[in-house]
Amino acid sequence: MRKELIAVAAAMAAGTVFAQQPNPLDAVPDKMPFDIAYGAPVSLERAEAAIAAAVAEAKKRDWKMNVAVVDSGGNLVAFQRMDGAQLASIKIAEHKALAAAMFRRETKAFENGIQSGFNYLITLDGVIGSRGGILLMDGGKLIGAIGCSGGTGSQDEASCKAGAAAVNK
Amino acid sequence: MRKELIAVAAAMAAGTVFAQQPNPLDAVPDKMPFDIAYGAPVSLERAEAAIAAAVAEAKKRDWKMNVAVVDSGGNLVAFQRMDGAQLASIKIAEHKALAAAMFRRETKAFENGIQSGFNYLITLDGVIGSRGGILLMDGGKLIGAIGCSGGTGSQDEASCKAGAAAVNK
Amino acid sequence: MRKELIAVAAAMAAGTVFAQQPNPLDAVPDKMPFDIAYGAPVSLERAEAAIAAAVAEAKKRDWKMNVAVVDSGGNLVAFQRMDGAQLASIKIAEHKALAAAMFRRETKAFENGIQSGFNYLITLDGVIGSRGGILLMDGGKLIGAIGCSGGTGSQDEASCKAGAAAVNK
Amino acid sequence: MRKELIAVAAAMAAGTVFAQQPNPLDAVPDKMPFDIAYGAPVSLERAEAAIAAAVAEAKKRDWKMNVAVVDSGGNLVAFQRMDGAQLASIKIAEHKALAAAMFRRETKAFENGIQSGFNYLITLDGVIGSRGGILLMDGGKLIGAIGCSGGTGSQDEASCKAGAAAVNK
């Protein structure tokens, strides 16, 4: 999908996309995208394990993260702000976790879309266009999501992936 | 209108629009755009019929939608979230219905505008730049609007159109 | 519990409660109050059945209600506003359903508490002090809540109870 | 101060306070109330230790708590929701911790005030009138606050005190 987006954006930049190509948003796929079943809410124990792993990864690299976990209903389960982590990222970490759970996808999908020229995404309620919001899964079901913020999006994502990897089954 | 936007976007992409052409936003049309009369509020019965048709279309295609109907005053009349539909779309479906009614146009108009380079639209209060918000009409008057969200914008729109078609006169 | 509250309020009104009696809020019960387990989210079918029953009860009595159902995570599942029902009650019906689910009790508990002199309840986030928010249960677990608004609190509650009774097991 | 409030409330209840006594709110004390110095922000380690102690106390008593810690600037440091704890208490626990830190007093002071008839307190920005928000102190300075919610106010307070006791110096 990323490649398609880039091709479209390149075409747009060349001023050719609307003139010569069909609007990619007009295609009606047969299947629902991101059709993941919502499961039972993640337990506190598992949420804490995910946060501990994310924080450990950040500590190893000398990063300072805010890390939030929400459950499958989007409600906050646990949160930690590392010493010296930026205050703005309290809300951003929670927002990333919430958006991942509510949209059932990594928040990187929105970052990619917006950076590829799909600016309409900015207007959708609850969207956050920065990577670092990742699903927590169990047996193919979404049980929650983890969100990291404090560094670059790429640092946030690296911390977040370590967190999710520690508990996903 | 679509063609105009495309021409402008192409010109913008070519870096020529502002330098060599008049600003299209400077034009003062004689007539009001989207000058549709507001009618009486859609009844609950009709709102439910529209939602039922949208949900039936979604079910037929194995999609999972959130569907909202607002009246001609923009106030919620009815809502349904199909089992397993994404939670983020509760607000988005309501937003699409509301924006369609308040701006008296399909929300696709905003999607097209933003995707054609008119990013100023993002800053207008109440705008949502994604198709799937459609007017409910009776005798040439706006009686409400239906908004769908849960799939791609094109899937949302297909569901929404089935809903509107069931009740529009 | 109602009787206790009334006794306390009467004592307060007589100016004797704090002087002569221990503060009832100082007691530390052994058991958690309202300790109901959150279950799986209510299905759309069941939510619609609850709303249909609430609306039928209201219609029978010539009342005009707004009726909302949320799931066990507090997210909206379905909503209906009867023709001519007051617009302010869109949000109130949703608020009642949400408060019932989040606090795991009928919203009447808050109405009773505040009317009995426990004004501190007014400051708790998410509280709504009016009856007409009732739990939806299945096998002893909370699967959602229904909220009605449009009439007096007592009319709201009567509609709501008819709704809950139709689906609770 | 409790006794003063009680006397005033009794006088109010007797309908005499405004007619025959000076308004207690007219008095201008020489000294600032609650004049505690703000210290450095509590560390994550210490915040987690406070939450762990609060959660341990709750577990021992078979209670289910939401526990939040904010720092001396009122910003969230850490949060845990025990399995099965009521969802409404996510916000309330954070609110209690925040109000304690921002007003530099236990939230019980507001509960007492409101329950003694000082309803004007309800209108002050940021107030929450329920015990269970307690200061975290170090060497006479305020370094943060802990807030608990999920049970009765008295249960919340018992959990919270165990949390604060584990880290206060």
Side-chain angles (χ1 to χ4, degrees):
Chain A
M1 178 162 168
R2 189 72 210 284
K3 277 185 192 167
E4 263 178 72
L5 297 184
I6 290 169
V8 171
M12 277 179 166
T16 56
V17 64
F18 289 111
Q20 302 174 7
Q21 297 187 1
N23 182 346
L25 300 175
D26 286 342
V28 182
D30 282 348
K31 294 208 174 170
M32 285 284 289
F34 306 101
D35 192 14
I36 299 166
Y38 287 103
V42 61
S43 68
L44 174 58
E45 189 183 352
R46 211 151 156 188
E48 283 288 308
I51 291 180
V55 166
E57 179 70 18
K59 221 172 224 166
K60 201 178 71 187
R61 299 188 177 210
D62 202 22
W63 299 341
K64 293 160 186 170
M65 287 287 152
N66 289 260
V67 189
V69 169
V70 301
D71 65 22
S72 49
N75 295 300
L76 189 65
V77 179
F79 175 85
Q80 287 186 29
R81 173 160 52 94
M82 294 172 70
D83 295 342
Q86 77 178 13
L87 295 174
S89 288
I90 299 171
K91 281 204 194 314
I92 296 174
E94 291 188 18
H95 189 166
K96 285 182 180 176
L98 182 59
M102 301 298 256
F103 286 102
R104 300 185 293 192
R105 69 197 76 175
E106 293 192 16
T107 56
K108 189 181 190 174
F110 292 119
E111 183 191 303
N112 283 348
I114 294 166
Q115 289 309 105
S116 301
F118 290 104
N119 284 334
Y120 79 92
L121 290 169
I122 296 171
T123 67
L124 297 184
D125 306 82
V127 160
I128 185 164
S130 171
R131 68 188 78 187
I134 292 184
L135 299 184
L136 299 181
M137 303 289 299
D138 190 343
K141 293 196 173 176
L142 187 169
I143 57 170
I146 182 169
C148 292
S149 180
T152 63
S154 55
Q155 291 172 331
D156 298 345
E157 187 183 39
S159 306
C160 234
K161 280 195 168 164
V167 302
N168 279 357
K169 292 179 188 175
Chain B
M1 177 162 169
R2 188 71 208 285
K3 279 187 192 163
E4 265 177 69
L5 296 185
I6 290 167
V8 171
M12 278 181 168
T16 56
V17 63
F18 290 112
Q20 302 174 6
Q21 297 188 1
N23 182 344
L25 301 175
D26 287 341
V28 182
D30 282 347
K31 295 207 174 170
M32 284 288 289
F34 305 101
D35 192 14
I36 299 166
Y38 286 103
V42 63
S43 68
L44 174 59
E45 189 183 352
R46 212 152 155 188
E48 283 288 308
I51 291 181
V55 166
E57 179 69 17
K59 223 173 223 165
K60 201 179 71 186
R61 299 187 177 214
D62 202 23
W63 298 341
K64 293 159 186 168
M65 289 285 154
N66 289 260
V67 189
V69 169
V70 302
D71 64 21
S72 50
N75 296 298
L76 190 66
V77 178
F79 174 85
Q80 287 185 29
R81 172 159 54 94
M82 294 172 70
D83 295 341
Q86 78 177 11
L87 295 174
S89 288
I90 298 170
K91 281 202 194 315
I92 295 173
E94 291 188 18
H95 191 167
K96 284 181 180 177
L98 181 60
M102 301 300 257
F103 286 102
R104 300 183 294 190
R105 70 198 76 176
E106 292 192 18
T107 55
K108 189 181 191 173
F110 293 120
E111 182 191 303
N112 283 346
I114 293 167
Q115 288 310 105
S116 300
F118 291 104
N119 282 333
Y120 80 93
L121 290 169
I122 295 172
T123 67
L124 297 185
D125 306 83
V127 160
I128 184 162
S130 172
R131 68 188 77 189
I134 292 184
L135 299 184
L136 298 181
M137 302 291 298
D138 191 342
K141 293 195 174 176
L142 187 168
I143 57 169
I146 182 169
C148 292
S149 179
T152 64
S154 55
Q155 292 172 331
D156 298 344
E157 188 182 37
S159 307
C160 232
K161 280 193 168 164
V167 302
N168 279 357
K169 293 179 186 172
Chain C
M1 175 160 170
R2 190 69 211 284
K3 279 184 193 166
E4 262 178 73
L5 296 184
I6 290 168
V8 170
M12 277 178 164
T16 57
V17 63
F18 288 111
Q20 300 174 6
Q21 297 188 1
N23 182 345
L25 300 175
D26 286 341
V28 183
D30 281 348
K31 294 207 173 170
M32 283 285 289
F34 305 101
D35 191 14
I36 299 166
Y38 288 102
V42 62
S43 68
L44 174 58
E45 189 184 354
R46 210 152 158 189
E48 283 288 308
I51 291 180
V55 166
E57 177 71 18
K59 222 173 224 163
K60 201 179 70 185
R61 300 187 177 212
D62 202 23
W63 299 341
K64 293 158 186 169
M65 287 287 150
N66 289 260
V67 189
V69 169
V70 302
D71 65 21
S72 50
N75 296 300
L76 190 66
V77 179
F79 174 85
Q80 288 186 29
R81 173 159 54 93
M82 295 171 69
D83 295 343
Q86 77 177 11
L87 296 174
S89 288
I90 298 170
K91 280 204 194 313
I92 295 174
E94 291 189 18
H95 190 166
K96 284 181 181 177
L98 182 59
M102 301 297 256
F103 286 101
R104 301 185 293 191
R105 69 197 77 176
E106 294 192 16
T107 55
K108 189 182 190 173
F110 292 120
E111 183 191 304
N112 282 348
I114 293 166
Q115 288 309 103
S116 301
F118 290 104
N119 283 334
Y120 80 93
L121 290 169
I122 296 171
T123 66
L124 297 184
D125 305 82
V127 160
I128 184 163
S130 172
R131 68 189 80 188
I134 292 184
L135 300 184
L136 298 181
M137 302 289 300
D138 190 342
K141 294 196 173 175
L142 188 169
I143 58 170
I146 182 168
C148 293
S149 179
T152 63
S154 54
Q155 291 172 331
D156 298 345
E157 187 183 39
S159 307
C160 232
K161 280 195 169 167
V167 302
N168 279 357
K169 292 180 188 173
Chain D
M1 176 160 172
R2 189 72 209 287
K3 280 186 192 165
E4 266 176 68
L5 297 184
I6 290 167
V8 171
M12 278 180 165
T16 57
V17 64
F18 289 111
Q20 301 173 6
Q21 297 187 2
N23 182 344
L25 300 175
D26 287 342
V28 183
D30 281 348
K31 296 208 173 168
M32 285 286 288
F34 304 101
D35 192 14
I36 299 166
Y38 286 103
V42 63
S43 67
L44 174 58
E45 189 184 351
R46 211 152 156 188
E48 284 288 308
I51 291 181
V55 166
E57 178 70 17
K59 224 173 223 165
K60 201 179 71 186
R61 298 187 178 213
D62 202 23
W63 299 341
K64 292 157 188 171
M65 288 287 151
N66 289 259
V67 189
V69 169
V70 302
D71 64 20
S72 49
N75 296 299
L76 190 65
V77 179
F79 174 85
Q80 288 186 28
R81 173 159 52 96
M82 294 171 70
D83 295 342
Q86 78 177 9
L87 296 172
S89 288
I90 298 171
K91 280 201 194 317
I92 295 174
E94 291 188 19
H95 191 168
K96 285 181 178 177
L98 181 60
M102 301 300 256
F103 287 102
R104 299 184 293 191
R105 70 197 76 176
E106 293 192 17
T107 55
K108 189 182 190 174
F110 292 119
E111 182 192 302
N112 283 346
I114 294 166
Q115 287 311 104
S116 301
F118 291 104
N119 282 333
Y120 79 93
L121 290 169
I122 295 171
T123 67
L124 297 185
D125 304 84
V127 160
I128 184 163
S130 173
R131 67 188 79 188
I134 291 184
L135 299 183
L136 298 180
M137 303 290 297
D138 190 341
K141 294 196 174 176
L142 187 169
I143 57 171
I146 181 168
C148 292
S149 180
T152 63
S154 54
Q155 291 172 332
D156 299 344
E157 187 182 39
S159 306
C160 232
K161 280 193 168 166
V167 303
N168 279 357
K169 292 180 186 172

